[in-house]
Amino acid sequence: MLALLALALLFSPTNTLRFTSVTVAAPPSTQRFLISALDLKPCPSIAKLNNRSQKSTKSSDSDESDDSSSPSSAFSRDNVRISFVNAPSSSTTSSTSLPPSPSVVSLSIGGLSFSPPPPPINVYGSTTLTFDDCSATGPLPPLAPGLTFDHIVGNVRSLSSASDRIRSLWPSALPPLSKFASFTAAEVGTPRSGLNSDVLNPEETSVLLPLNEPVDATEKSQVSTFLDYMGEESVQHVAFKVDDVVEEVERMRGEGVEFLDPPPDRYYEKAREVAGGRITDERWEDVMRLGILVDVETSSVGEGMLMQIFTKPFSSGPEG
């Protein structure tokens, strides 16, 4: 799942560390769809550095016969790089160690001021966090306008265990991890199910690592369903920051991307009251037509407005 954010929150990191890339395991057909959905362009220099391609598993289904031709393995747009490794479709039985596809198998952080970088660490499940080697890639350029990683969410079975393990593995040469924000099932759940969430953040950086744990009530929570489907702790969604969320959603819809169903009209009646004059009448028409969510933040984190929308999952698995 992907999330698009138009973020105007008073959060000003002073350290240059930020997410620079992810590696996604997916069958070639899904790779091509994601490349189109995010308007990615080939990035051959990164492909050489991250040449981690695998041979795709051919399906016995004749409908999948054209899947054996994978695109180039590395792509970029603005401040984002995405590399792909081949994986069988989620409907194909496989003996590989990869979780169901598509799945994020590694995250990368750049902006280090020293070399060599720390060794990779295992954040959860089979997901690895790596650090760009500035001696190989050169200094990280300043953020450009356009597509940017905002946060990458991991679903875990226990917040305390996952958080303690990541802290124990976190390189001492980097800013220490702190808890940027925390949410409970009472705040973000429903009477039937929910989740608890902690957001880990290397201090004074824009790197945000939210962790969700399930809270099962009268029904199994979406996080529990997701963990059972994946068979391990894993990335639940990647959130991108964009300059114009309306323009980006319009473009992605044109590429065939489907988004979650819009909220009811009463949601927008309340949101309009809370947002006040922050959004023009014309903009509200676009927001409601496209099903974009609007939240106003006034807390210790900062003050500002968040406009966001979530895609439907890029697999046949559960939406959790």
Side-chain angles (χ1 to χ4, degrees):
M1 179 183 287
L2 306 177
L4 293 179
L5 312 175
L7 190 63
L9 194 64
L10 297 184
F11 171 52
S12 302
T14 59
N15 191 290
T16 58
L17 254 61
R18 66 176 190 257
F19 284 122
T20 55
S21 66
V22 297
T23 299
V24 177
S29 59
T30 305
Q31 294 180 34
R32 289 190 287 270
F33 182 72
L34 288 171
I35 290 164
S36 176
L38 291 171
D39 195 24
L40 302 173
K41 306 302 180 187
C43 187
S45 60
I46 300 301
K48 284 184 178 180
L49 289 172
N50 300 307
N51 186 16
R52 304 167 68 181
S53 298
Q54 300 174 352
K55 292 183 178 179
S56 62
T57 302
K58 295 183 179 179
S59 169
S60 58
D61 187 341
S62 60
D63 291 340
E64 293 286 322
S65 61
D66 64 339
D67 256 12
S68 60
S69 177
S70 174
S72 300
S73 63
F75 294 80
S76 66
R77 174 183 160 194
D78 305 325
N79 307 291
V80 165
R81 301 195 310 260
I82 299 181
S83 297
F84 292 100
V85 293
N86 288 343
S89 65
S90 56
S91 62
T92 303
T93 302
S94 172
S95 60
T96 69
S97 60
L98 293 172
S101 63
S103 59
V104 176
V105 295
S106 73
L107 333 169
S108 294
I109 290 176
L112 277 67
S113 59
F114 57 88
S115 184
I121 65 174
N122 170 245
V123 281
Y124 34 68
S126 57
T127 306
T128 301
L129 174 63
T130 65
F131 304 93
D132 294 345
D133 186 348
C134 59
S135 66
T137 62
L140 189 65
L143 276 175
L147 196 70
T148 306
F149 288 112
D150 185 81
H151 61 269
I152 300 175
V153 181
N155 279 354
V156 299
R157 301 201 179 276
S158 165
L159 271 185
S160 58
S161 296
S163 179
D164 288 348
R165 188 170 52 77
I166 294 172
R167 289 175 188 275
S168 70
L169 297 172
W170 190 253
S172 59
L174 298 182
L177 284 178
S178 64
K179 188 184 293 185
F180 178 76
S182 185
F183 308 95
T184 67
E187 298 170 299
V188 295
T190 71
R192 294 193 300 271
S193 70
L195 59 87
N196 296 324
S197 181
D198 285 343
V199 182
L200 300 182
N201 165 238
E203 293 178 3
E204 302 299 328
T205 77
S206 64
V207 175
L208 297 175
L209 280 167
L211 303 173
N212 297 335
E213 72 173 1
V215 176
D216 297 330
T218 58
E219 293 182 6
K220 196 174 186 178
S221 78
Q222 287 187 333
V223 176
S224 288
T225 302
F226 174 91
L227 291 169
D228 289 347
Y229 172 75
M230 298 299 290
E232 64 175 22
E233 299 175 335
S234 184
V235 170
Q236 192 248 13
H237 76 256
V238 177
F240 296 99
K241 196 185 315 183
V242 296
D243 298 329
D244 188 327
V245 69
V246 169
E247 180 181 292
E248 191 68 19
V249 171
E250 294 273 30
R251 186 197 62 76
M252 292 179 72
R253 283 186 183 276
E255 297 294 340
V257 176
E258 295 183 340
F259 294 86
L260 296 184
D261 293 337
D265 289 344
R266 63 180 179 273
Y267 167 86
Y268 287 110
E269 293 171 4
K270 180 64 175 177
R272 199 159 188 167
E273 289 179 15
V274 175
R278 290 181 174 89
I279 303 178
T280 65
D281 289 344
E282 182 181 3
R283 191 71 162 180
W284 272 114
E285 291 180 8
D286 290 332
V287 165
M288 295 173 66
R289 174 174 55 84
L290 296 171
I292 295 170
L293 306 177
V294 178
D295 295 294
V296 175
E297 176 70 39
T298 54
S299 71
S300 58
V301 173
E303 296 185 5
M305 184 176 68
L306 170 68
M307 300 170 67
Q308 64 179 332
I309 190 168
F310 293 83
T311 68
K312 290 185 177 180
F314 293 105
S315 75
S316 59
E319 294 189 6

